[in-house]
Amino acid sequence: MSECILYKKLDSKKVRCTCCSLKCVIPNHETGECGVRKNRNGKLYLEVYGKPDAVAVDPIEKKPLYQFYPTSTAFSIGTFGCNFKCTFCQNWDLSQASKTNDIENLTNSYDLSPKDVIKICKKKKCKVIAYTYNEPTIFTEYALDCAKLAQKEGIKNVYVSNGYQSVETIELLSPYLDAINVDLKAFTSRFYQELSGVRLAPVLKNIKRWHDLGVWIEVTTLVIPGENDSEEELTNIANFIASINIDIPWHISAYYDAYKMEGKGRTPLKSLLKAYNIGKKAGLNYIYTGNVRNSETEATFCPNCNAEVISRYGYYTDVHSIKNGKCKKCGTPIKGIWSDDCQNRLVPKKITDPNEIHAILYPEGSKNQNEGQYINFFEGSTFDRERQILILYGTQTGKTEQIANQLYEVLIHSERTKKSFDFRIVDLDDYNPENLPLEKNIVLLTSTHGEGEAPDNALALFEYLESKNISQNSSLLEGLKFSIFGLGNSTYGDRYQKMSKYFDTKFELLGAERLYQRGEGDEFKNNIQISFKKWFNNLISSLCENLGVKEQNNILIEKSHFKIKYLENIIEKENEKEMEKEKEMEKEKEKEKEIEMEIENFSTSNSNKFYNSKNPFQSKLLEKNELMKNGGDRSCVQVKLNLKNSNIKYNCGDHIGILPKNSLQNITKLAKILNVNLDQKIQITPPRRFKKVMTIRECFESYCDLTGPVPNIIFQTLSKYTKDQKEQKCLLEWYHDINKYKEWNDENKYGLIHILEKFPNIQLTFETFLQFVPRIAPRYYSISSCSQYDPNSVQLTVQILANGLCSNYFNNLQMNDPISLFWKKTNFKINNKHPSILIATGTGIAPFRGMLRERLYLKENQIQEKFPETFLFFGCRTHQYDFIYEDEFEKYSKLGLITNSFYAFSRDQQNKIYVQHKLKEQKELLQKVMQNTEAQILVCGNPNMSIQIKETFSQMFGKKGLKDLIKSNRYIEESW
C-alpha cells in the first residue's frame, strides 16, 4: 500500500482520483471503480503497490508488440483490478476480483518492490518490463516507480492497456514509457457502454495522444462474432487508425468465450481475413491476425516491395530481412523500434515457471499461489458459510429490484434474522455464474422478459445453466440450497413465470436442494406483495428450521432503513471552491461530449448509440396533437420527439422507453404532507435506489412513483401511522381483502399521493415514506412512426389517463421541453413477404400505423410495389370519437396496403361488440389464410383483450394448433 500521486482532496474527506478518465469521486473508506485505489481518511492509497498477482517472463510478441524489439523477452507483471468491466474479459479472475471483494481480503501471490522487479529483469536477462494482464493504468504509481528504475538500467517499459488514462497520467508516464499496445475494442459507443461500462471517446483521444508523444503504439481489436465484426465497424476502426498514421500496426485477434460472454464461439478465420483486407483497403501498412495460426497474416511485409521481412508462427519469430531498420531488398524503412541483437534468430519463447521468480528473491522457498477463483461476497463475515445467504435478482423494468431490496432491507434489520444469518444482495449483472457450485444458500428473484426470455441482467446465468448437460452435471450444485420467487403477469399465457420455473427446475436437476418452494407474484391479479409476504415468511421459517435458529415474530416493512443526511444549503467559501471544481469537471465532460460527436461524425456506420434507463438520450418535444375527435370525453395525443444527433436507427414495432417525472403540483402536495423543504439537499444511505446527493425536489420528481398503482401491503404499514380509527379500519380492510382493494383501485386508479390526501391523519416522516414508496420505472411506448420519412424524430401515440404518471407527464409538456428517452429493440415485426393478420384495440394500433407507413414509403419510392394480403381488425369504444388514424387507414386500404378492414365499436350499439366477435365472424377466412400460407398474426392491446383474442384463436385452431403458431413465431402478441 502506498499513497497515490494522482488524486485531489475534496471536502468531507472525499477525494477525486485523476488516474483514469473515469475521474472517480471516492468517499471515505471506499474505493474507485477499479477497486484498488482506496480513500483512507481523505488520502488515496494504491492498495496493490508492490503486490502483483500475476508474474511471468513472456515473449514480447505475446503482448502483442510485433514491431518493438522483436524476439526479446518481457518480464510481465499484473495486479488485481480494472477500471473497465468487460463481459468478455479473458483475465476476469484478476481484473474483476477487487470489484466484488474488499481489496484487503484478496491474497496476492507476490511481494515485489520496484527494486525487486529490476533485480528479476536483470537476472532473467529481460530487455523489457511489460505492465499487463490487468489494466496497468490503475497501478500507475507502482508502474512509474518501476519504470524510472528500469530506464536507468537500460530496460524498456511497455503498457498493454485499454487506453483509458487521464491526461495527468499520460503526462506523468510518457517520459518513461517506450511502447504501448492499446485495445480498441470497437467503434461504437453502444459496445463500450454496454459491454465495458465506459465511453469510447477517451480511448480514441488517447491513442492519438500516445502517438503524438512519440511512444511506439500498436492497436489490438478482439473480433467478437455478432458484436463488432460488421464490415462497417471494422472499416471505421481501420480508417480511424489510418487517420492518425498508416504505420500503426493493427492486431486483429480471434475471440473465444470467456467470463460472462458465452455462446459466441470462436471467431472464424474468414472474419479475421475480412478485417485484414479491410485494413489493407484503408491503407494500413502493418496488419496482423492473432489467436490463430496463419503464417501469412502474422508476418511483417515491406510496404513498398511487399517482401516478407519478419516471419512468425505463433511466438516463433525470425527477423531475417531487416537491416538498420530497413528492408534489405529495397531499402524502405520498416517502422518500429529495432535492435541489432534481434536480427536473424528463430527463437521459440517458453514462458518461465512463475515459481522461478520466487526463487530469485526467496532462495529458501516460494510462497503459495492464490488458489481458486471464487469471488467471496461475504468478506469479513463472522458467520460460517452455512449461514451466508446471497440474494440475487434478475430485473428488466426495476420491479424485481424493488422487491429484492425490500427483502434485503428487512432481513438485515429484523431481530428475527439479522443475528442469525449473513445476507448480501447482488445484481446478476455483477455476478459470475461460474461461482454457483461454491455457494451455500441462494435466494433468487426474477421476472420474465419479452417472449419468455431471461431479463437482460440474468442472461449470463441463463446461458451458464443452459450450457450444463444434466446427465453429465447432475451433482454440479450439490451442497447449494436455494429458493426462487418470480414476478409476472398471468395474461401472458405460456410466458407467465417462464424464467422462475426454468431456474427452479434447472437448479434442482443440477443437484441443488430447495430451501423453500418457488413463489409466484401475479401483477394481473394484483397480488405480488401478498404472495411475496407469504413466501417470504415461509422462507424464513424454513431457513430457521434448516439451520436450527429460533424463530421470532417479524413484520415485513416495519420501519425505515434509510438514513438521511441533511446537507447545509448555505455554501461556505470551502464549498465554493468545490463548486468551482465541479464546474471544471462539467466543462471537461462537455469537451468529451464534443469529442464523441466528432467521433460519430467520423464514423460511416449507422449503428445505434447505446442508450438505456441509466444513460438516456436527452430529447425534446417537437409536436403534440390531439387524436380524439371533438366531443369525446377522453384524450389521446400523438407526440413527436427529437432524435437528431442521437444516431438512433429504430425499426417499426420497436419501443421507446420514457423516464417520466412527477408534476410540480403533486410534488408540492407531497412536500406539504411530509412537511419538508423541497430545496433541502440530502444524502441517502444506502444509496442503491437513489443517487448519492440531491435535493428533496429531485428525489420526489424522478424517484418516487406518486400516481402508479399502490401495492396493497402498503396499507398495513400506513394503518400504523394514523390514530384515526375509521382510517385504520379502511386501510386494514383493503390490506386483508384483496377484492375490496382491487374493486376500489379499479374504480379510482389512485396513486400514493392520492391515498395520503384521502387519509389526512396519516403522519409520516420523510424517512418512513422513502421506505415503501414505489420507485419510478421507465414507461414503454410502441413507436407509431416510420424512420424512413424522418430519421431525426420519432412519434408515439399516448392515451392520457386520469392518474397516469407518464401520460400526464406528456400532457403537461410544452414545445421544446426536455425529455429523457431510450430505444428498445423488439421482435414485433410485420413480414412484407407473407400475409398478415393485424389485431389491435385503442392505442394498440400504434405499431401497425408505423408498419403501414413504412409500406407507404416503400411503395412511393418504388422499392416494393405490391404487398401480401393484410387483414386489419381494430376495436375502440365509438366510431365518432375514438377511431384514431381513421383517415390514414382508409388511405392505406385504397392503396392496397391493407386488403380488408374489420372494425368493432363496442359502445355504438346496445350489445357490445368487440374485436373477438369480428374474428369469429371471419373464422373461415382466417382458417384458410393461416392453413394455406405462412401468414402471421400480430396482436397488440391490453392484457384482457389479449386473453380474449388468444381464446378465440384457440377455438379456431385448437390449443395445440395455437401453441404451434406461437412456437413458430407466427403468433406474436404485445400487451401491457
Side-chain angles (χ1 to χ4, degrees):
M1 180 176 69
S2 176
E3 186 176 354
C4 298
I5 302 171
L6 296 155
Y7 80 101
K8 295 178 181 178
K9 293 183 179 181
L10 306 177
D11 293 334
S12 304
K13 289 190 176 181
K14 292 180 182 178
V15 300
R16 176 177 286 113
C17 179
T18 58
C19 185
C20 82
S21 290
L22 288 175
K23 297 286 181 78
C24 298
V25 174
I26 308 172
N28 195 16
H29 304 308
E30 293 187 22
T31 62
E33 286 294 324
C34 61
V36 300
R37 301 174 74 83
K38 187 165 185 176
N39 182 348
R40 293 179 179 273
N41 293 317
K43 292 184 178 181
L44 190 64
Y45 286 87
L46 178 59
E47 303 289 302
V48 292
Y49 187 98
K51 296 180 180 296
D53 194 64
V55 170
V57 176
D58 290 331
I60 192 68
E61 286 81 7
K62 190 180 179 184
K63 298 305 99 188
L65 287 166
Y66 275 15
Q67 292 169 233
F68 180 87
Y69 288 109
T71 75
S72 63
T73 53
F75 180 55
S76 303
I77 58 176
T79 69
F80 292 117
C82 185
N83 49 355
F84 282 23
K85 51 182 178 181
C86 302
T87 57
F88 49 88
C89 182
Q90 295 168 344
N91 285 335
W92 62 268
D93 52 327
L94 288 177
S95 67
Q96 303 303 307
S98 61
K99 297 187 180 183
T100 47
N101 289 264
D102 269 348
I103 189 66
E104 292 92 338
N105 295 322
L106 288 171
T107 305
N108 65 292
S109 299
Y110 308 90
D111 289 305
L112 297 179
S113 70
K115 288 182 179 179
D116 291 334
V117 172
I118 303 306
K119 183 178 178 181
I120 294 167
C121 275
K122 293 168 75 173
K123 179 73 175 179
K124 301 303 295 181
K125 297 181 180 178
C126 294
K127 281 179 164 291
V128 179
I129 301 174
Y131 307 92
T132 179
Y133 300 133
N134 71 318
E135 175 50 47
T137 302
I138 66 167
F139 60 87
T140 286
E141 287 86 354
Y142 178 41
L144 179 65
D145 287 348
C146 292
K148 287 179 178 179
L149 293 178
Q151 192 178 75
K152 290 178 181 178
E153 297 290 339
I155 298 169
K156 304 301 180 183
N157 296 285
V158 303
Y159 257 33
V160 181
S161 173
N162 58 34
Y164 220 65
Q165 296 84 14
S166 65
V167 176
E168 294 92 330
T169 295
I170 292 176
E171 289 177 352
L172 188 68
L173 193 63
S174 58
Y176 306 98
L177 198 65
D178 298 284
I180 186 170
N181 185 297
V182 176
D183 286 337
L184 181 49
K185 301 175 187 295
F187 210 79
T188 62
S189 298
R190 180 207 65 81
F191 182 102
Y192 266 86
Q193 291 172 338
E194 182 178 1
L195 301 181
S196 297
V198 296
R199 295 181 299 116
L200 168 62
V203 180
L204 301 183
K205 183 170 58 177
N206 285 345
I207 289 174
K208 190 172 189 310
R209 276 182 179 151
W210 284 116
H211 172 269
D212 292 347
L213 285 167
V215 176
W216 178 253
I217 186 168
E218 301 190 19
V219 174
T220 298
T221 300
L222 184 71
V223 180
I224 306 175
E227 294 291 349
N228 63 352
D229 61 344
S230 69
E231 185 170 345
E232 292 102 327
E233 185 149 6
L234 293 169
T235 299
N236 289 335
I237 294 172
N239 286 341
F240 171 75
I241 297 171
S243 72
I244 298 173
N245 194 325
I246 59 174
D247 290 324
I248 295 176
W250 185 30
H251 299 265
I252 311 154
S253 292
Y255 162 86
Y256 58 84
D257 286 337
Y259 192 31
K260 292 183 179 181
M261 185 179 283
E262 294 185 355
K264 296 289 183 183
R266 210 173 162 81
T267 310
L269 178 59
K270 65 179 182 181
S271 295
L272 300 185
L273 296 179
K274 175 181 75 174
Y276 185 91
N277 291 327
I278 286 171
K280 287 294 183 186
K281 188 176 180 181
L284 296 178
N285 285 329
Y286 308 106
I287 309 166
Y288 305 104
T289 57
N291 287 342
V292 293
R293 292 292 176 263
N294 188 333
S295 58
E296 184 176 344
T297 53
E298 290 178 287
T300 301
F301 296 91
C302 172
N304 180 46
C305 67
N306 205 36
E308 185 174 312
V309 294
I310 304 177
S311 301
R312 296 183 186 86
Y313 189 76
Y315 299 137
Y316 288 80
T317 304
D318 184 8
V319 185
H320 54 77
S321 296
I322 295 179
K323 186 174 182 180
N324 298 324
K326 296 180 180 180
C327 171
K328 283 185 177 180
K329 184 176 180 181
C330 69
T332 298
I334 308 297
K335 297 298 182 180
I337 308 296
W338 313 107
S339 174
D340 288 341
D341 63 357
C342 293
Q343 302 296 319
N344 305 318
R345 291 193 293 120
L346 183 65
V347 184
K349 302 302 180 190
K350 182 179 179 181
I351 299 175
T352 307
D353 183 349
N355 285 326
E356 291 183 29
I357 305 304
H358 293 295
I360 295 169
L361 298 174
Y362 312 103
E364 295 181 0
S366 59
K367 299 181 179 181
N368 292 328
Q369 295 295 308
N370 188 29
E371 294 181 2
Q373 298 177 341
Y374 176 62
I375 298 177
N376 179 18
F377 285 99
F378 298 91
E379 62 278 3
S381 171
T382 58
F383 295 91
D384 58 39
R385 289 192 62 210
E386 296 297 327
R387 295 194 179 191
Q388 293 174 348
I389 299 169
L390 187 63
I391 301 169
L392 301 172
Y393 61 87
T395 185
Q396 191 69 30
T397 64
K399 291 179 184 176
T400 312
E401 181 185 1
Q402 289 179 30
I403 294 289
N405 280 323
Q406 181 181 324
L407 173 64
Y408 174 70
E409 292 292 338
V410 173
L411 289 172
I412 63 172
H413 289 89
S414 169
E415 291 298 325
R416 185 183 185 186
T417 54
K418 72 178 182 180
K419 295 179 181 178
S420 305
F421 305 104
D422 194 5
F423 299 99
R424 293 293 185 274
I425 182 170
V426 179
D427 186 326
L428 274 170
D429 250 343
D430 301 322
Y431 184 73
N432 180 10
E434 297 285 346
N435 289 330
L436 271 181
L438 300 168
E439 307 293 358
K440 286 297 180 182
N441 302 291
I442 282 182
V443 177
L444 172 63
L445 297 92
T446 185
S447 58
T448 300
H449 174 56
E451 300 298 314
E453 305 149 13
D456 289 349
N457 71 326
L459 279 174
L461 175 62
F462 173 76
E463 290 166 359
Y464 170 80
L465 295 174
E466 275 287 272
S467 70
K468 303 303 175 186
N469 183 285
I470 300 300
S471 60
Q472 296 174 0
N473 294 278
S474 58
S475 60
L476 177 70
L477 300 183
E478 272 187 7
L480 171 65
K481 295 179 180 178
F482 73 98
S483 187
I484 292 174
F485 186 82
L487 283 76
N489 189 314
S490 57
T491 61
Y492 293 139
D494 293 343
R495 291 174 285 168
Y496 174 63
Q497 296 288 344
K498 189 171 180 180
M499 276 300 106
S500 70
K501 292 175 184 176
Y502 170 84
F503 288 131
D504 187 66
T505 302
K506 197 76 174 188
F507 272 56
E508 182 184 35
L509 291 174
L510 293 174
E513 177 187 347
R514 284 187 186 84
L515 281 167
Y516 182 64
Q517 68 188 29
R518 181 175 61 87
E520 289 186 1
D522 186 355
E523 191 174 17
F524 176 65
K525 294 180 180 177
N526 205 29
N527 73 351
I528 286 179
Q529 288 281 352
I530 291 176
S531 301
F532 174 60
K533 177 189 174 186
K534 182 178 179 181
W535 171 83
F536 161 85
N537 281 309
N538 288 333
L539 169 66
I540 296 303
S541 296
S542 180
L543 277 171
C544 293
E545 183 181 341
N546 264 276
L547 299 176
V549 175
K550 185 178 179 180
E551 286 198 60
Q552 300 174 26
N553 291 330
N554 185 73
I555 298 174
L556 192 63
I557 311 181
E558 173 65 23
K559 60 181 180 179
S560 172
H561 307 311
F562 290 109
K563 293 180 181 178
I564 313 296
K565 182 178 180 181
Y566 293 89
L567 307 177
E568 291 293 333
N569 288 323
I570 300 172
I571 301 174
E572 299 174 355
K573 288 184 179 180
E574 291 183 7
N575 290 337
E576 286 178 357
K577 292 179 182 178
E578 179 58 25
M579 292 291 288
E580 287 300 318
K581 291 177 185 176
E582 292 297 330
K583 287 179 181 178
E584 289 177 13
M585 288 296 295
E586 289 300 320
K587 286 179 181 178
E588 284 187 26
K589 288 179 182 178
E590 288 300 319
K591 288 180 182 178
E592 297 288 0
K593 287 180 181 178
E594 290 176 11
I595 292 168
E596 282 187 336
M597 288 306 303
E598 289 176 12
I599 292 163
E600 294 301 333
N601 292 334
F602 175 85
S603 171
T604 58
S605 170
N606 287 322
S607 59
N608 293 287
K609 282 186 178 180
F610 178 69
Y611 296 110
N612 59 21
S613 58
K614 294 179 182 178
N615 177 45
F617 171 67
Q618 297 305 312
S619 179
K620 62 182 178 180
L621 180 67
L622 299 178
E623 290 180 15
K624 184 168 61 175
N625 298 306
E626 178 62 54
L627 293 174
M628 293 291 191
K629 299 176 184 177
N630 293 333
D633 59 353
R634 300 193 304 159
S635 174
C636 180
V637 297
Q638 179 178 289
V639 296
K640 184 177 182 180
L641 306 176
N642 175 55
L643 291 183
K644 191 174 182 180
N645 297 327
S646 71
N647 207 27
I648 289 176
K649 177 76 172 174
Y650 67 82
N651 292 312
C652 298
D654 288 346
H655 293 165
I656 290 294
I658 300 294
L659 298 178
K661 294 182 179 180
N662 286 304
S663 67
L664 178 60
Q665 180 184 11
N666 284 333
I667 292 171
T668 306
K669 283 181 184 177
L670 184 60
K672 187 175 180 181
I673 291 169
L674 298 181
N675 192 27
V676 293
N677 175 7
L678 289 174
D679 295 320
Q680 173 68 56
K681 284 186 178 179
I682 55 172
Q683 184 174 15
I684 302 176
T685 54
R688 285 192 309 278
R689 294 176 59 192
F690 307 94
K691 73 178 185 180
K692 289 184 179 178
V693 178
M694 59 184 159
T695 62
I696 292 178
R697 184 189 306 277
E698 289 177 295
C699 179
F700 288 167
E701 184 180 60
S702 300
Y703 289 89
C704 304
D705 194 338
L706 304 181
T707 57
V710 181
N712 94 309
I713 198 168
I714 286 179
F715 297 128
Q716 182 197 34
T717 304
L718 291 177
S719 71
K720 297 174 185 177
Y721 292 95
T722 176
K723 294 180 180 179
D724 186 287
Q725 291 186 352
K726 288 184 179 179
E727 289 185 355
Q728 283 182 346
K729 183 180 178 181
C730 183
L731 288 165
L732 287 172
E733 190 175 53
W734 287 345
Y735 169 68
H736 290 294
D737 191 335
I738 190 171
N739 291 323
K740 285 188 176 180
Y741 162 67
K742 194 172 185 300
E743 179 183 341
W744 169 85
N745 191 50
D746 287 346
E747 181 180 345
N748 296 281
K749 297 293 183 187
Y750 278 179
L752 188 55
I753 185 67
H754 308 108
I755 300 295
L756 295 177
E757 284 186 300
K758 183 177 176 64
F759 299 95
N761 293 302
I762 293 174
Q763 300 296 315
L764 292 175
T765 64
F766 176 48
E767 290 86 342
T768 306
F769 172 78
L770 286 187
Q771 174 61 26
F772 57 76
V773 61
R775 187 175 65 177
I776 290 178
R779 269 49 171 185
Y780 293 92
Y781 290 89
S782 294
I783 293 172
S784 57
S785 56
C786 164
S787 63
Q788 286 91 331
Y789 277 114
D790 185 2
N792 291 322
S793 69
V794 64
Q795 294 177 13
L796 308 178
T797 305
V798 181
Q799 180 77 50
I800 305 300
L801 305 174
N803 291 309
L805 170 59
C806 199
S807 62
N808 277 286
Y809 174 57
F810 273 121
N811 201 34
N812 294 327
L813 280 177
Q814 302 298 315
M815 294 306 105
N816 294 314
D817 276 358
I819 184 168
S820 298
L821 61 80
F822 56 97
W823 164 78
K824 192 173 188 302
K825 187 177 180 181
T826 74
N827 295 319
F828 196 71
K829 311 294 179 191
I830 196 170
N831 191 323
N832 284 330
K833 294 182 180 179
H834 300 292
S836 297
I837 298 166
L838 312 180
I839 305 166
T841 57
T843 54
I845 198 68
F848 299 141
R849 188 239 184 187
M851 294 171 190
L852 291 167
R853 280 183 63 78
E854 183 179 59
R855 283 190 173 183
L856 181 64
Y857 177 87
L858 296 175
K859 187 177 182 69
E860 287 177 344
N861 289 274
Q862 299 180 347
I863 298 170
Q864 185 172 342
E865 290 289 334
K866 294 184 178 179
F867 296 89
E869 287 184 305
T870 300
F871 305 95
L872 174 65
F873 291 81
F874 174 65
C876 58
R877 290 185 179 187
T878 66
H879 186 181
Q880 183 178 359
Y881 302 122
D882 302 284
F883 192 177
I884 60 176
Y885 299 124
E886 179 181 8
D887 295 341
E888 285 192 35
F889 284 103
E890 284 184 6
K891 177 182 177 181
Y892 300 148
S893 295
K894 289 177 182 178
L895 291 172
L897 306 181
I898 301 174
T899 308
N900 283 306
S901 303
F902 306 94
Y903 300 125
F905 305 107
S906 60
R907 301 189 182 185
D908 275 357
Q909 58 284 312
Q910 187 173 356
N911 295 323
K912 291 184 178 180
I913 297 176
Y914 295 110
V915 169
Q916 57 266 31
H917 297 126
K918 293 295 180 179
L919 291 172
K920 289 175 182 177
E921 289 175 7
Q922 302 301 322
K923 179 179 178 180
E924 291 184 8
L925 169 66
L926 296 175
Q927 285 177 330
K928 181 181 177 181
V929 171
M930 294 304 294
Q931 290 168 4
N932 297 334
T933 70
E934 290 297 311
Q936 62 174 173
I937 298 170
L938 296 178
V939 182
C940 189
N942 64 58
N944 286 327
M945 169 266 203
S946 294
I947 292 172
Q948 296 298 325
I949 299 302
K950 194 172 282 185
E951 180 59 33
T952 301
F953 279 112
S954 181
Q955 293 171 8
M956 282 189 197
F957 304 111
K959 289 184 177 179
K960 185 180 183 304
L962 180 58
K963 280 187 177 181
D964 290 342
L965 288 174
I966 294 171
K967 274 186 179 180
S968 61
N969 215 33
R970 293 180 61 200
Y971 185 100
I972 309 172
E973 64 178 356
E974 187 174 274
S975 58
W976 58 87

